[in-house]
Amino acid sequence: MATLLDGRRLAGEIEARLQAVIARHGTQLGRPPGLAVLRVGDDPASGVYVANKEKACARVGITSLGAHLAAGTGAEEVLAAVRRLNADPCCDGILLQLPLPAGLAEGPLLMAIDPAKDADGLHTLNLGHLLKGEPGPRSCTPAGVMALLARHGVALAGLRAVVVGRSILVGQPMALMLQAADATVTVAHSRTTDLAALTRQADVLVVAAGRPRMIGAEHVKPGAVVVDVGIHRTESGLCGDVRFEEVEPIASAISPVPGGVGPMTVTMLLVNTVVAWCRRAGLDHGLGDLVPYRGLDGPWAGQDPGVRVEGG
Ligand code: NDP
């Protein structure tokens, strides 16, 4: 029987660490960390995600500073909201909830976020920091997967990892993080031929294709670690990209949907915010193991030399 990569439990453990960091530094800093989730329009799924993020903030003691702008809001007005949050000394993290209403281009708005407050780790500068192994906020979902693997003792060095999906949100940063942890990484996408032959070579298989239940037993090497990033609402409930009931008996470890990667994504948003809060004041956060990067002179080890991310 496979070990369950239990994201809900790990998220709870990390939340307790965040509460402790906030309690330790809160008096000295005179204010709690602040996270602004900026929502534009009325995408119903976004409403649920934003509410979950705000509840998670409340649990650990982060102030929610978000705003909800009407669907017809123009780019200039959204930009002004981003700039206000960039300048707000009580705001440590900013997240622009996607998708935006049709007609609003996300690229320029994401780029307007102060990279030091980029709670989602999606700013081009921070993706560059990831590529170069430099400190900076990390994309939440892949960072959450790395924490989940580390917590369950998956020693990645030398393992063969396959990532299914090459989006900027998940697949690409996931591949970089696994590579920085000394796994040998292959990235598959919709034009990959004979996917099953490729994925069967994986010791660690991360699936982020956005295709409900596409990965079955025929795609998985016995004993592999399988991480299912996909999340889909169906008539019979939530499911992932992996046929859990088929893969679980042959995998050595597997993440469930729900309760696997999803809770970790929200938690890493909180981690990025608390780390930014500490960094702005030059204080130690003790969360370096959760912000993976490969140092310039050593293998990936999760240390944080305290280098501050400069605003752009
Ligand atoms: P995208 O749609 O942006 O990217 C999907 C990727 O999968 C693309 O690179 C695509 O290839 C590839 N792909 C699609 N079909 C196949 C196929 N048949 N074989 C191989 N590769 C394929 O999705 P995201 O990366 O944003 O998200 C992926 C999934 O993860 C979604 O289900 C999303 O809901 C979920 N998600 C979950 C999160 C969580 O917290 N649990 C957070 C973020 C996302 P190509 O590039 O060629 O088109």
Side-chain angles (χ1 to χ4, degrees), residues 29 31-34 65 83-93 117 277 280:
L29 290 178
R31 65 170 183 88
L65 303 165
R83 289 190 180 128
R84 262 196 308 278
L85 292 166
N86 284 344
D88 183 346
C90 293
C91 175
D92 304 286
K117 295 188 177 187
W277 178 66
R280 291 174 73 207

Side-chain angles (χ1 to χ4, degrees), residues 1-299:
M1 203 173 126
T3 301
L4 206 63
L5 301 174
D6 188 340
R8 203 169 277 145
R9 193 180 60 195
L10 178 55
E13 291 172 15
I14 294 172
E15 283 189 7
R17 288 177 63 187
L18 296 176
Q19 280 170 345
V21 176
I22 294 170
R24 192 162 75 239
H25 295 319
T27 313
Q28 188 181 345
L29 290 178
R31 65 170 183 88
L35 171 65
V37 179
L38 199 53
R39 183 178 170 210
V40 190
D42 297 307
D43 178 67
S46 293
V48 176
Y49 293 143
V50 171
N52 284 344
K53 287 165 188 171
E54 291 182 347
K55 273 189 223 153
C57 283
R59 283 199 300 273
V60 301
I62 294 175
T63 304
S64 289
L65 303 165
H68 186 181
L69 306 176
T73 308
E76 271 310 314
E77 213 177 310
V78 183
L79 208 54
V82 170
R83 289 190 180 128
R84 262 196 308 278
L85 292 166
N86 284 344
D88 183 346
C90 293
C91 175
D92 304 286
I94 303 170
L95 176 144
L96 183 62
Q97 185 68 43
L98 303 176
L100 296 173
L104 271 185
E106 63 187 51
L109 294 171
L110 288 174
M111 283 296 286
I113 293 172
D114 177 348
K117 295 188 177 187
D118 173 27
D120 235 356
L122 292 179
H123 191 286
T124 302
L125 184 74
N126 289 323
L127 290 170
H129 283 313
L130 170 62
L131 181 65
K132 293 184 77 178
E134 296 166 354
R138 293 296 192 242
S139 319
C140 296
T141 301
V145 172
M146 295 301 286
L148 207 49
L149 293 173
R151 177 68 179 77
H152 290 86
V154 179
L156 288 161
L159 294 188
R160 178 88 198 253
V162 174
V163 179
V164 184
R166 58 177 168 183
S167 72
I168 291 295
L169 184 64
V170 187
Q172 301 276 7
M174 185 76 255
L176 288 170
M177 287 181 201
L178 289 165
Q179 188 176 242
D182 291 328
T184 302
V185 185
T186 307
V187 178
H189 46 77
S190 65
R191 308 293 294 273
T192 297
T193 53
D194 202 351
L195 182 69
L198 182 72
T199 55
R200 272 200 307 271
Q201 294 173 28
D203 304 307
V204 176
L205 177 60
V206 181
V207 190
R211 298 275 178 267
R213 294 172 54 78
M214 71 172 274
I215 296 292
E218 74 278 17
H219 293 89
V220 178
K221 176 166 88 172
V225 173
V226 180
V227 180
D228 189 353
V229 178
I231 183 145
H232 312 276
R233 251 166 243 284
T234 68
E235 281 178 3
S236 49
L238 290 180
C239 75
D241 287 357
V242 176
R243 300 197 287 277
F244 184 90
E245 71 290 351
E246 256 183 45
V247 172
E248 190 272 344
I250 55 172
S252 63
I254 184 167
S255 69
V257 178
V261 176
M264 292 305 300
T265 298
V266 177
T267 301
M268 295 316 294
L269 186 66
L270 308 182
V271 168
N272 279 340
T273 303
V274 172
V275 167
W277 178 66
C278 292
R279 275 205 175 129
R280 291 174 73 207
L283 295 174
D284 171 47
H285 50 71
L287 300 166
D289 58 311
L290 300 172
V291 190
Y293 79 97
R294 187 188 177 100
L296 289 179
D297 53 1

